[in-house]
Amino acid sequence: MIKTDSPRTLGVPDSEARLRFGMERHEVGGGPRRHVLTVDEEPAFELNFPCGTCAFLFRRLQGATERLSLETMQERLTGALDDLDDGGVIEAFGALLPQGEYLPLLLEVEPRLVLPGKEGDYFSDEQVAGWGVDQFWGLPQYPHTPYYRTFETAVDADAHLYEFVVPMVPPTWNKEQRVEEYVALMEGGTVPTAVAISTLDLCQSALGLADDPCEHWCLTHFLLDGHHKLEAAATAGRPVRLLSLLALGEGMSGAEDWARLPALRGRPRSARVTGT
């Protein structure tokens, strides 16, 4: 944690926002509606159903096809952002979002790229310990995208915080030369800044599995700017700064939880020990 501030109103009317959260529209007689993040009115990510005991989820859909970088902010974000309001970054990216309350968080992260089903995959490891495998498929949840894990820590004896950075497009879509340029900058001491819209979801399994009965606090950053930066940082083992605009009221969390988040994010990293 570098800096935070009080919640502020950002965004534009829903009809003008490029990103929105909500329930997917279905025609009469269609299947169950999905909870989604849309980009330009196309479903980009399926999210966990807002019930509190359902397993946490982000799953890339066919609408996640482009980055949302702003050309006017590229030069400012090549280096470290030191102040939340430096260069008008919040207002510029706020114009992509639906009008609402957002909590700005300026974080430093050390991303680790994770492939679904491979070592370090939250959905195959920590989530299975609390919820088991999907009861229909008999498999762990599958996010349909590589993603980055950046931080985790204990909330208290009965809860644990997990943090994820989710790219809008997979790293295989990044330009190799651009990634190499950022690697070189980072090795020279530059710490670039990425930008994300974020959610906080508190989920606890109702299954009573002994391996992990804890509540999972899942802090998820959907990347707007910084796809090449995150891959370069993961490749080089270097930090980047992340300006998170936490959408208050969109995840399964409340005001008391949001108020605790800055202090929790400032704690030392600690991994969850399961199976005891």
Side-chain angles (χ1 to χ4, degrees):
M1 174 64 65
I2 297 173
K3 286 188 177 180
T4 187
D5 201 355
S6 301
R8 61 179 72 180
T9 301
L10 297 171
V12 296
D14 280 1
S15 60
E16 301 174 21
R18 295 195 63 189
L19 293 95
R20 285 187 292 174
F21 295 92
M23 300 303 293
E24 188 177 27
R25 296 177 181 176
H26 274 305
E27 295 182 1
V28 176
R33 297 195 301 164
R34 297 179 295 186
H35 184 209
V36 294
L37 170 63
T38 64
V39 176
D40 296 330
E41 300 187 357
E42 293 294 327
F45 284 91
E46 181 182 358
L47 309 176
N48 45 290
F49 196 79
C51 73
T53 59
C54 298
F56 170 70
L57 177 67
F58 56 80
R59 178 179 291 128
R60 183 173 176 242
L61 303 173
Q62 292 182 338
T65 60
E66 61 179 302
R67 306 169 186 86
L68 293 164
S69 300
L70 299 178
E71 188 66 31
T72 56
M73 292 289 108
Q74 290 308 294
E75 183 177 352
R76 180 64 198 88
L77 296 174
T78 297
L81 197 68
D82 294 315
D83 186 86
L84 288 166
D85 293 310
D86 192 3
V89 176
I90 290 180
E91 288 72 19
F93 282 93
L96 303 175
L97 310 179
Q99 190 170 59
E101 292 294 303
Y102 295 85
L103 176 65
L105 302 168
L106 185 57
L107 311 171
E108 187 161 278
V109 300
E110 297 180 7
R112 175 168 54 93
L113 183 63
V114 172
L115 300 179
K118 302 296 184 180
E119 181 180 358
D121 178 26
Y122 167 85
F123 298 98
S124 300
D125 189 355
E126 290 96 339
Q127 188 175 91
V128 169
W131 280 262
V133 297
D134 184 276
Q135 295 183 18
F136 179 79
W137 297 108
L139 296 167
Q141 296 284 358
Y142 192 77
H144 286 206
T145 182
Y147 60 95
Y148 300 95
R149 295 191 66 168
T150 52
F151 182 79
E152 62 177 281
T153 194
V155 176
D156 52 40
D158 299 316
H160 199 79
L161 172 69
Y162 300 95
E163 184 179 65
F164 313 93
V165 177
V166 183
M168 285 290 173
V169 298
T172 52
W173 289 26
N174 289 340
K175 297 178 180 178
E176 184 176 350
Q177 180 179 352
R178 189 67 175 141
V179 173
E180 291 173 353
E181 289 172 357
Y182 276 116
V183 169
L185 284 172
M186 292 176 184
E187 290 178 343
T190 298
V191 181
T193 304
V195 181
I197 182 173
S198 309
T199 57
L200 177 64
D201 292 282
L202 276 58
C203 307
Q204 186 161 23
S205 174
L207 300 177
L209 298 181
D211 284 347
D212 185 8
C214 277
E215 183 176 56
H216 288 200
W217 289 45
C218 297
L219 176 59
T220 312
H221 308 291
F222 293 96
L223 205 56
L224 304 180
D225 177 279
H227 288 72
H228 296 91
K229 300 167 189 174
L230 266 290
E231 184 183 355
T235 299
R238 299 278 182 166
V240 293
R241 292 199 174 177
L242 179 66
L243 174 60
S244 160
L245 300 176
L246 181 69
L248 305 183
E250 295 296 349
M252 292 185 296
S253 54
E256 292 183 1
D257 310 314
W258 312 328
R260 295 185 64 186
L261 191 55
L264 290 172
R265 191 51 183 74
R267 288 183 179 180
R269 181 194 305 267
S270 63
R272 173 75 185 152
V273 179
T274 60
T276 57

